Amino acid sequence: PLTIADGDAAAGTITLVIQAMGHSTKAIVAMPVGGAIRDVAGPLGAPTHLMDKGFAVGVGGGVGTAVVHPIAQALHRSGVRVISIIGGRNRPLVIYHDELSRLGEVRVCTDDGSWGRKGLVTDELKDLCAAEKPDIIYAVGPVPMMAAVCATSKPLAIPTVVSLNPV
């Protein structure tokens, strides 16, 4: 539950979104403003293949929404039309709405209906795909959510990229 959500190469800074769950993430979250981490390794893993034209949908669940942000940024810079579908259990747990809104349309879903559509991000994705088929879907969030996104996109033959981030 630690994600690079943004970066500024000129300033030499990164923005981290952290869900304090274990010893290390709790220690980082407890760090005072202006504190520094001595060493950072990353990003690790394979880079996400990004399209350079067309229509893309980013689906983010919980902390995974932080990963959708840099994907949407890069797509937007390339001229790709981006719609983001983001969700969380309740309104306080929905993140990056404002940042994603600067890059395209954002649709919000909450389990309890406290913001946007009551229900799952996959419910909104099904409706979106019925109205307008995207060229690709990028999904980041809990594994069951990503599996449900793939179950939605596979019958429609929409290429789908998920981001598995094991602890």
Side-chain angles (χ1 to χ4, degrees):
L2 185 149
T3 296
I4 297 174
D6 206 350
D8 183 337
T13 61
I14 57 174
T15 300
L16 296 174
V17 172
I18 302 167
Q19 186 175 12
M21 298 199 52
H23 174 75
S24 297
T25 52
K26 287 179 182 177
I28 294 170
V29 169
M31 188 178 300
V33 172
I37 299 171
R38 183 174 160 217
D39 295 306
V40 176
L44 304 173
T48 302
H49 170 75
L50 299 172
M51 61 188 296
D52 57 6
K53 63 181 183 216
F55 169 39
V57 174
V59 182
V63 177
T65 304
V67 180
V68 171
H69 179 247
I71 293 170
Q73 281 180 315
L75 293 168
H76 180 74
R77 276 194 302 271
S78 294
V80 174
R81 177 175 164 233
V82 179
I83 292 180
S84 299
I85 301 172
I86 60 175
R89 287 189 306 274
N90 52 47
R91 185 180 185 108
L93 296 178
V94 176
I95 61 172
Y96 273 79
H97 175 273
D98 294 346
E99 293 84 351
L100 288 165
S101 293
R102 291 190 279 274
L103 306 171
E105 181 185 346
V106 178
R107 300 181 183 188
V108 177
C109 302
T110 52
D111 295 354
D112 66 359
S114 58
W115 189 6
R117 178 180 185 155
K118 182 177 181 176
L120 304 174
V121 291
T122 48
D123 297 330
E124 186 65 33
L125 179 63
K126 287 174 189 171
D127 289 350
L128 174 69
C129 290
E132 181 180 10
K133 184 177 173 183
D135 297 307
I136 193 166
I137 298 169
Y138 297 92
V140 190
V143 171
M145 181 215 83
M146 293 189 295
V149 168
C150 291
T152 299
S153 63
K154 186 174 181 176
L156 302 171
I158 301 169
T160 302
V161 177
V162 300
S163 179
L164 293 173
N165 300 304
V167 175

